[in-house]
Amino acid sequence: MESEHVNDPVRRFKAEFFKALGHPARLALLDHLRNGEKSVNELQALLRCDQSTVSQQLSVLRNRGIVEGRKEGTTVCYRVRDPAIFRLLDDAREIFNNQLITTQEMLQQLSEVNTT
């Protein structure tokens, strides 16, 4: 029997939200949308991916409410719904960098121990 804490709807929502961010192509899309709205064709050129891949990844982000599309004739342009996502991504980058620094320091210490 699972704990009620694991089945908490807010935690499930958060888990699904982070799962939507858990793909390199989706993170790249968000990076490209950082400076504003872009069409699917623009995103395709920036990512150097085929249109179906870009559309598939945008669909995941759209279904989680992270991006939204606007149709302009036959062109669909996407933008990030809430710019706070960029703060989250920046914080994640800082955490990642801190972990790399810690790992580098440990490797340096190991190297120094092995040479003495």
Side-chain angles (χ1 to χ4, degrees), residues 25-37:
R26 293 193 286 268
L27 292 174
L29 284 167
L30 292 172
D31 282 340
H32 289 302
L33 293 173
R34 192 177 278 263
N35 296 320
E37 185 177 87

Side-chain angles (χ1 to χ4, degrees), residues 23-86:
H23 192 285
R26 293 193 286 268
L27 292 174
L29 284 167
L30 292 172
D31 282 340
H32 289 302
L33 293 173
R34 192 177 278 263
N35 296 320
E37 185 177 87
K38 300 231 180 336
S39 71
V40 173
N41 289 337
E42 288 173 305
L43 291 167
Q44 179 183 345
L46 289 166
L47 265 65
R48 297 184 185 124
C49 293
D50 58 68
Q51 196 247 336
S52 65
T53 300
V54 172
S55 294
Q56 179 184 26
Q57 301 307 326
L58 284 168
S59 176
V60 172
L61 294 171
R62 189 178 60 247
N63 289 338
R64 289 283 13 127
I66 298 170
V67 299
E68 61 187 4
R70 177 183 61 80
K71 197 158 185 167
E72 192 174 281
T74 59
T75 302
V76 181
C77 295
Y78 282 89
R79 70 179 190 88
V80 170
R81 286 188 61 211
D82 185 347
I85 190 75
F86 299 123

